[in-house]
């Protein structure tokens, strides 16, 4: 099966979804994406997008909500996204110890 390349576009640049981790939630499909800008002012840069899709596959432009179970499942899904996983580990490493 061939997977269609996902594209994105913002005012400052556009590109492709280089990596994606997605889980099946009760109400939606929580998704973390590594965006690779190929055009525009941001060309050559990367970003992480926290988003979700409806069960029908439609992209939702509302905040991402995840239950504790979905977080656990997302951790497992990230095993298949090495670049995205490195960036998220960098985020967590920046959290100061209490």
């Amino acid at each position: 099966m061939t997977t269609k390349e996902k594209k994105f576009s913002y005012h400052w640049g556009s590109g492709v979804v280089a990596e994606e981790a997605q889980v099946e939630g009760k109400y939606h499909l929580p998704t973390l994406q590594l965006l690779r800008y190929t055009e525009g002012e941001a060309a050559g840069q990367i970003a992480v997008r926290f988003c979700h899709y409806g069960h029908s596959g439609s992209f939702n432009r509302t905040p991402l909500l995840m239950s504790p179970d979905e977080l656990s499942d997302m951790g497992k899904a990230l095993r298949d996204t090495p670049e995205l996983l490195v960036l998220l580990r960098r985020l967590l490493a920046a959290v100061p110890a209490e």
Side-chain angles (χ1 to χ4, degrees):
M1 180 172 135
T2 303
T3 303
K4 182 180 175 186
E5 182 176 67
K6 288 185 181 180
K7 297 184 179 190
F8 68 91
S9 181
Y10 292 108
H11 297 296
W12 53 89
S14 60
V16 297
V17 176
E19 291 184 348
E20 180 176 77
Q22 187 176 74
V23 299
E24 180 83 22
K26 182 175 180 180
Y27 305 107
H28 62 182
L29 305 171
T31 306
L32 302 180
Q33 297 173 328
L34 174 65
L35 305 181
R36 190 171 313 282
Y37 290 90
T38 57
E39 297 180 20
E41 182 182 330
Q45 296 180 41
I46 59 172
V48 176
R49 178 162 66 180
F50 297 77
C51 59
H52 63 100
Y53 289 79
H55 285 286
S56 66
S58 60
F59 182 79
N60 293 304
R61 296 191 177 273
T62 55
L64 172 63
L65 304 173
M66 294 177 71
S67 70
D69 287 342
E70 292 166 341
L71 285 171
S72 295
D73 291 343
M74 184 62 74
K76 295 171 189 166
L78 286 167
R79 293 178 192 152
D80 297 326
T81 59
E83 288 183 73
L84 182 56
L85 183 56
V86 165
L87 290 172
L88 293 172
R89 284 184 173 150
R90 185 171 163 184
L91 168 68
L92 293 175
V95 177
E98 293 186 20

